[in-house]
Amino acid sequence: MTAITPTTPKATPAQVFSTFWAMVRKELTVLSRYPVDFIASFFQLFIIVAIFTLAGLTFSETGQATEGTSGVVVYGFIMFMFVSDTLWTIGFNVRHEQVQGTLEQLYLSPASKFASLIARVTHLLIWTSLLSLMSALIMKAMLGSLPVYNLGRALFFLVFILLGTFGIGFAFAALTLRVKETANSLANLFQFAFMILGACFFPFGALPEWMQSISRLLPPAHGVDLFRSTLMNYPPGFPELASVQTETTVVIVFGLVMPVLGYWLFRRAEHHAREKGSLGEF
Amino acid sequence: MSAITLPNRTPGKPGPAALISAMFATVRARLLIVSRYKGQLLNEIVTPIVLAAMPILLGRATAGDRASEVFLANTGTANYVGFMLIGSAVFVIVSNAFWHVANWLRWEMETGTLESIYLTPTHRVFVAAGTGIYSTSRSTVGAFVAYLIGSAIMGINPFQGDLLIAFLFILFGLIPLFGMTLLYGALVLKLKEANAMLNLMQWVVNFLMGVFFPITVMPAAAQFIAKLFPPTWMTNGVRSAMLGVGYFFNEWYFDLAVLWFFMLAAPMLGVWAFKKVENSVRRNEGVGQF
């Protein structure tokens, strides 16, 4: 009698894509069931923009923002929205599946885990792109002027920045599997740290020198700096953290290395959780 | 055999001591739960400092060395750091009040205990009041510590101006604030999954209160709406007492009198709205559904 050795089925690229698309469709369907959320998030964006615009104008002698200031604030805000979505959504979704009790079931299916992770943030990127466009238009109307140069190059950088933050998103999801409920508080703290060290609402020059030194160690901060400097056509003093060449290198390496590293960390955390039998625990 | 005489009390009607005991049991339970989440408490101190830091840094970058001078011309005080820190500290108290009441209701719904609260002899108002006291103590202490730490980091004197009047504005502002939280509660009772709406309202509150700017920079219609909102008077009162930005009616006692009016009006409006929604929900799907 011969023993049957079960082999792990390997998903073909078509199957991986099919899983990815099914997950994106599922997320979009869930999202479409909450129309109030759509409307609320749009108005929320409008109010946040108004608040920071009015706050900025209390420091203006003319009651109008300069092109430089509006570029820094608007593009910093857009980067903040993209980076926040990409960073936390994967981890939050993993946590949500844990709480709902469906995470363990997902791991029992032969569907690609990678595609399932990526799909959790894809639908949000579509929505965030729309919101970013709207916020740029609103802020332009409120602030008077907004510099738009080198759009193609800026979008090229944006792709690499997002790839890199996907990687951090995987790493954060790994952390979520380990620390469970504490991940919420950690996400808030990281987000606040990014708001300040990433200088999303002001130039890096406003930070004390020691904080700028920390910012220089953070690739997403270089991403914010390079993205907005490019759209502002590199005015004097921009980019602030390093030269264009250095920041371009940092952003590209970040975009290529971080997803691999983040996914590796996620697989390790997942393996650890499966061994301990804590995947479904929350 | 002699009959046992029971104390003279209507069955099912708890006395005042029992009601107060239930209220403080709620406070204790909620404080005990939150003490297990130290990260959340740390967040509450970090949040107002980070919120205030953003416009402060933006202002320094925009106006440079003349930041105080320009800010004085636009707002009435040169102390922009104090202005922003007071704004964000009061905002955290206000925002937490709304969230704690809304989250409490939602949590009871999800854990299936809301209907049980309606069935107990203790009136739900006392359980809600317990949540209110918990929220006030938690966020007032958090906001005060954040204000002190923020002032130390940014190098300003936290104790300036008329502190007693500032305290009165906070004290009298809390009552209408908790009256208004019932409106949030009504929203949660009606919509159930109301997180997006609550998020939006949090920013609307921030805007109306003038957390980062004086409301005089808003259009006239927006100013009128902002003045119907009690926390606007609370924030401006504290700022005027400590930084001298100017009361809406020039004297502190007139502004405080307006808060006294809100102390009557806001709870009445909140209770009316909550009862209306509550009755409708109880008649239809019941309060236990979520």
Side-chain angles (χ1 to χ4, degrees):
Chain A
M1 217 170 126
T2 36
I4 300 165
T5 318
T7 48
T8 323
K10 268 251 174 207
T12 62
Q15 283 171 329
V16 172
F17 183 76
S18 161
T19 307
F20 167 75
W21 187 238
M23 287 288 290
V24 172
R25 268 184 54 214
K26 174 228 159 200
E27 295 291 339
L28 283 171
T29 311
V30 171
L31 208 67
S32 69
R33 293 294 181 271
Y34 296 95
V36 177
D37 282 14
F38 273 107
I39 300 163
S41 59
F42 172 74
F43 279 108
Q44 188 177 326
L45 177 83
F46 177 77
I47 292 169
I48 295 173
V49 167
I51 288 168
F52 281 99
T53 306
L54 290 173
L57 292 180
T58 55
F59 292 94
S60 161
E61 285 177 270
T62 55
Q64 283 273 311
T66 62
E67 206 176 54
T69 310
S70 57
V72 165
V73 177
V74 175
Y75 298 135
F77 182 60
I78 287 174
M79 281 303 296
F80 174 72
M81 287 203 298
F82 271 116
V83 172
S84 298
D85 271 356
T86 328
L87 281 180
W88 324 124
T89 309
I90 300 173
F92 280 140
N93 265 280
V94 168
R95 178 93 193 117
H96 194 57
E97 298 272 5
Q98 243 180 355
V99 175
Q100 281 183 330
T102 44
L103 189 66
E104 220 154 23
Q105 288 167 19
L106 271 179
Y107 275 85
L108 293 175
S109 76
S112 161
K113 313 291 175 295
F114 183 75
S116 139
L117 279 181
I118 291 286
R120 288 162 203 279
V121 85
T122 308
H123 67 288
L124 267 182
L125 285 180
I126 300 167
W127 180 233
T128 307
S129 305
L130 284 172
L131 284 182
S132 299
L133 197 66
M134 291 303 293
S135 65
L137 292 174
I138 297 167
M139 277 179 148
K140 191 177 177 183
M142 291 181 82
L143 294 168
S145 58
L146 185 69
V148 187
Y149 302 97
N150 314 312
L151 194 59
R153 206 185 308 166
L155 289 175
F156 171 79
F157 292 140
L158 182 66
V159 170
F160 279 94
I161 297 162
L162 289 181
L163 281 173
T165 50
F166 265 113
I168 301 183
F170 292 146
F172 185 71
L175 190 69
T176 307
L177 285 180
R178 291 267 176 140
V179 299
K180 299 187 169 69
E181 190 59 36
T182 315
N184 247 337
S185 302
L186 279 178
N188 279 336
L189 284 177
F190 287 156
Q191 197 159 13
F192 283 145
F194 178 68
M195 268 184 194
I196 298 289
L197 295 169
C200 298
F201 299 94
F202 45 83
F204 284 94
L207 291 172
E209 195 52 51
W210 65 272
M211 275 194 175
Q212 286 186 43
S213 308
I214 302 175
S215 297
R216 282 193 185 92
L217 299 174
L218 304 173
H222 284 281
V224 173
D225 194 23
L226 184 63
F227 178 71
R228 69 184 173 201
S229 301
T230 305
L231 281 166
M232 289 158 64
N233 205 22
Y234 312 108
F238 285 86
E240 298 173 272
L241 296 178
S243 65
V244 179
Q245 288 80 4
T246 311
E247 294 214 319
T248 306
T249 312
V250 170
V251 164
I252 290 175
V253 171
F254 174 59
L256 294 176
V257 173
M258 198 57 218
V260 180
L261 181 66
Y263 191 59
W264 176 75
L265 286 170
F266 180 77
R267 291 305 298 259
R268 266 179 68 100
E270 171 208 309
H271 185 72
H272 177 79
R274 290 170 85 171
E275 268 189 351
K276 273 183 67 186
S278 62
L279 200 60
E281 277 176 18
F282 62 93
Chain B
M1 214 173 131
S2 56
I4 300 162
T5 320
L6 289 168
N8 189 17
R9 200 196 296 163
T10 325
K13 278 249 175 189
L19 291 172
I20 290 169
S21 160
M23 185 171 80
F24 282 105
T26 309
V27 179
R28 218 179 120 240
R30 296 194 64 85
L31 283 174
L32 198 68
I33 292 169
V34 80
S35 71
R36 299 289 183 271
Y37 297 94
K38 298 193 175 54
Q40 269 189 31
L41 296 174
L42 180 67
N43 246 343
E44 229 148 82
I45 294 170
V46 175
T47 307
I49 300 173
V50 175
L51 277 179
M54 286 183 293
I56 290 170
L57 292 170
L58 175 65
R60 282 182 185 166
T62 312
D65 293 339
R66 300 193 61 238
S68 301
E69 211 178 304
V70 177
F71 197 76
L72 172 67
N74 287 331
T75 64
T77 176
N79 186 356
Y80 60 93
V81 173
F83 187 95
M84 301 298 179
L85 275 174
I86 291 172
S88 60
V90 177
F91 168 64
V92 166
I93 297 176
V94 174
S95 169
N96 276 352
F98 285 118
W99 271 105
H100 289 159
V101 170
N103 276 346
W104 161 66
L105 265 175
R106 185 79 192 131
W107 187 57
E108 300 281 6
M109 263 183 196
E110 286 182 346
T111 50
T113 45
L114 189 62
E115 215 151 31
S116 318
I117 288 176
Y118 275 80
L119 295 174
T120 61
T122 309
H123 197 278
R124 55 204 171 277
V125 163
F126 288 87
V127 184
T131 306
I133 294 172
Y134 148 78
S135 171
T136 310
S137 45
R138 177 180 160 182
S139 41
T140 311
V141 171
F144 184 64
V145 173
Y147 175 68
L148 290 182
I149 295 175
S151 301
I153 293 172
M154 295 180 204
I156 61 155
N157 171 18
F159 303 110
Q160 50 191 305
D162 207 326
L163 296 174
L164 181 66
I165 294 178
F167 174 73
L168 287 178
F169 271 99
I170 290 185
L171 190 69
F172 294 130
L174 285 171
I175 296 165
L177 173 65
F178 279 96
M180 289 189 73
T181 58
L182 288 175
L183 295 175
Y184 256 53
L187 196 72
V188 171
L189 217 53
K190 186 76 192 166
L191 296 179
K192 274 71 176 180
E193 189 59 57
N195 267 0
M197 286 300 286
L198 294 176
N199 256 330
L200 171 67
M201 281 173 80
Q202 176 174 297
W203 287 102
V204 172
V205 165
N206 185 309
F207 182 77
L208 290 178
M209 278 172 62
V211 171
F212 298 135
F213 48 82
I215 66 158
T216 45
V217 302
M218 298 199 285
Q223 276 187 51
F224 176 74
I225 296 167
K227 283 182 179 168
L228 294 175
F229 190 58
T232 308
W233 295 81
M234 190 172 159
T235 318
N236 191 65
V238 177
R239 276 181 182 148
S240 303
M242 294 178 74
L243 308 174
V245 294
Y247 296 99
F248 290 133
F249 287 132
N250 296 324
E251 297 294 343
W252 65 268
Y253 39 84
F254 288 140
D255 279 23
L256 206 59
V258 176
L259 265 184
W260 273 88
F261 164 74
F262 281 129
M263 270 170 68
L264 291 173
M268 279 164 66
L269 176 71
V271 169
W272 172 79
F274 189 82
K275 282 210 157 178
K276 210 170 155 56
V277 172
E278 187 188 38
N279 284 337
S280 141
V281 171
R282 287 173 84 179
R283 264 202 307 270
N284 295 304
E285 72 269 26
V287 291
Q289 216 176 72
F290 64 93

